[in-house]
Each structure stands twice: as structure tokens, then as C-alpha cells.
Amino acid sequence: MTTTSLTSQGAAQRACTVWGLSARGLSPLRTHATSVYLLPHADAVVRVSRAEQRASIQRAIALTRWLAGHGLEVTEPLDVSQPLSVHGYVITLWRHYPQPDGPPPGPEHLGRLLSQLHRLPEPPVELPAYHPHLALRAVVGSSTTLAPSDREWILGRSDELLDAYAHLDFPLGQGLIHGDAYPGNTLWDGSSARLGDWDEAAIGPREADLANTFQGVRFGRTTNQLRAFSDAYGYDLADWPGLSVLTGLRDLHTLGSFVRRADLGDLEAAAQFAFRLDTLKRGDRTKSWVIH
């Protein structure tokens, strides 16, 4: 594992120097799997990712440029030399889309964007095949804070779900998918919604892009919101027999970032991980999870 003594914000500041930009006013917007910093004078955001994500980030930059050229409303990288490697981090620079107060765009906007995405031709970017839980299993296996019993339960549950996944039939077929599509990855640009965070783009079953929104019932998503999402996409996943498998995969997937943060000493992340894992072990779908 790559280690660094430089903070993610320090790495963002050094990247700004390489790009010939002042780091004046650099401030954190979001810290979870990826740290995001606002660079207000450049109307930009700096994303700081882990070194092992470099290949996926390079693909994301090429892919979003292609998608924008095909009229899909996506978050767009700025025209600088990127990604940069800085002391164990991978740094990228993106256009900033100031967000109004209130919730992110509703699920129906994501449904429309995914409908457009799934109709596009194959991109001229070599994308990996979609394999659920590759990253999760690596994080769980290498964690320094997970109790052995928790590690065993997560990997065992992952085995069960992956076996079920391998036997699913996907009526929507295979193609370009976002890989981490959920309403929280959409942003307002002033008049419409844009889809961001393309690091997990892949070739896989289109149902995988739809199931994450249904998994959002854990965060308070309503039946009316799910209906609006399905209407906007043009297909309702609710009655598909494989839905519970995909939402189960997503439930476990969300644990990965909390395990990684807990390993770095983040007590809040450790508490949220423990809460989510407890509800999963008990099969409890009534407890609401905190949106990170």
C-alpha cells in the first residue's frame, strides 16, 4: 500500500503549483472515499484520490470528455495536464458547479441521465468489465481495525451475493454503465442535473446502474421517488427478481469507505460502519442510514 506523510489538502496545494494556479482559498467540500476541495478563484474543484485509483481516474477523464462531446450532461475535467501523482495521491481538476441550498437533484433526473447514457454507442475508451466487490474485498482483507468475526461475516455474505449475482439474467443487457450511479452523484448546474464521479465506469449489466437508487430506501427514499426514477428511465426494476441481489451487493459495497476511514482513525466513520454492519447482520431494513 502506498503511504504518504502529506495530507490530502497539502497534495492538492502542490498540484495547484504544478498547474500554475494559486492555492489561495482552497477549502474542503467533501471528504469520504475521495477528498474534494474548492478552488474558488479558478471556478474549479480539486479531487484527491488514492494512488491505486490512477488507472480508473485516467479512464474517467477520457470518458467524461467523450460523453460531453455526445451531449450527456456530466461533470467535466478542466483542460490541464492530469491526473497528477503527488506523494501517494492522484490529483485531478474539474469544473465547479455551485450547488444551491437544499437536497441534490431528485432521482428522476438521474433516471433521465442513465436512460441517455445507456443508449450511447460503445466509447473509444477501454473500460473494465463490471465486477462487484473487488475493491470492498481488498479493503476488508487488508483492514487493520476490523474484528476477525466481522471480516469473516462480510466476506461470507459477499460470497453468497456474488454467487447469486452470477446466476442472474439481465433483461436490459450489457453496455456502458456508470458503476456508482445514485442521486448523490448528481449536481445542479443552474438549469439541469449533471452526473459526476465516473471512477467506477465499466461495461456491465445496465440494471446495476438502476439498483443503487432502489437501495436508497435505507436513506429515506420514497415509493413516489422510485416511481419517478423508473418513469424517467423508461423501465421499472421493482418487479425484477434480481433486485434484492443487487441492492444487497450495494449495501455491502457502502461499507468499504467507512472501513478505510476507520483504519485511518476516523471515529465517526467507525461508528457509522458499526451501525450499518449491525443492521445488515440482523437483516434490519427499517433503520435509516446516515448519508455521508
Side-chain angles (χ1 to χ4, degrees):
M1 179 181 293
T2 302
T3 59
T4 178
S5 59
L6 194 66
T7 66
S8 61
Q9 186 158 347
Q13 290 169 336
R14 294 199 183 183
C16 289
T17 300
V18 174
W19 287 319
L21 298 171
S22 169
R24 172 177 48 86
L26 185 77
S27 59
L29 281 177
R30 181 174 182 267
T31 300
H32 191 55
T34 297
S35 296
V36 182
Y37 297 91
L38 173 64
L39 193 61
H41 70 84
D43 197 24
V45 295
V46 182
R47 301 182 80 235
V48 182
S49 307
R50 303 183 308 279
E52 61 266 28
Q53 294 178 283
R54 183 178 179 87
S56 63
I57 290 168
Q58 284 181 309
R59 290 193 296 266
I61 290 170
L63 179 62
T64 49
R65 286 173 173 159
W66 180 82
L67 290 170
H70 279 71
L72 190 69
E73 293 160 328
V74 297
T75 53
E76 297 185 48
L78 295 187
D79 189 17
V80 297
S81 178
Q82 58 174 323
L84 296 180
S85 294
V86 179
H87 285 257
Y89 297 102
V90 179
I91 321 293
T92 52
L93 189 68
W94 299 76
R95 180 181 168 189
H96 178 225
Y97 302 93
Q99 298 302 288
D101 292 335
E108 66 275 14
H109 297 279
L110 177 60
R112 177 182 59 81
L113 289 167
L114 290 176
S115 178
Q116 294 172 352
L117 174 70
H118 291 170
R119 293 198 304 267
L120 289 175
E122 183 176 343
V125 179
E126 187 172 350
L127 296 173
Y130 178 71
H131 292 294
H133 285 188
L134 283 181
L136 171 71
R137 295 178 71 90
V139 168
V140 169
S142 63
S143 172
T144 58
T145 59
L146 264 181
S149 59
D150 289 341
R151 178 181 290 109
E152 181 180 1
W153 189 90
I154 293 170
L155 293 177
R157 178 60 176 153
S158 175
D159 287 339
E160 294 173 3
L161 289 166
L162 289 173
D163 180 68
Y165 173 82
H167 292 88
L168 293 179
D169 292 320
F170 296 101
L172 295 178
Q174 303 272 329
L176 168 62
I177 62 172
H178 179 277
D180 190 27
Y182 71 106
N185 271 341
T186 54
L187 297 171
W188 290 112
D189 73 355
S191 59
S192 60
R194 289 178 177 264
L195 184 54
D197 288 355
W198 291 85
D199 299 352
E200 297 183 39
I203 301 298
R206 296 181 176 93
E207 287 84 353
D209 269 352
L210 307 184
N212 296 345
T213 295
F214 284 81
Q215 187 262 351
V217 297
R218 289 198 180 273
F219 306 101
R221 195 150 299 132
T222 67
T223 300
N224 286 341
Q225 288 176 324
L226 294 178
R227 186 178 299 112
F229 170 78
S230 299
D231 289 346
Y233 182 81
Y235 179 82
D236 190 352
L237 204 64
D239 295 327
W240 178 59
L243 178 58
S244 63
V245 175
L246 294 191
T247 56
L249 287 167
R250 180 68 176 184
D251 282 341
L252 278 191
H253 171 85
T254 70
L255 300 180
S257 295
F258 293 101
V259 173
R260 190 179 293 111
R261 287 169 54 189
D263 283 348
L264 296 174
D266 186 329
L267 298 181
E268 183 180 357
Q272 179 61 200
F273 165 77
F275 175 72
R276 292 191 182 193
L277 182 60
D278 178 64
T279 61
L280 292 175
K281 285 183 175 181
R282 292 187 292 105
D284 186 350
R285 296 192 63 83
T286 64
K287 294 287 193 305
S288 294
W289 289 359
V290 174
I291 298 176
H292 54 78

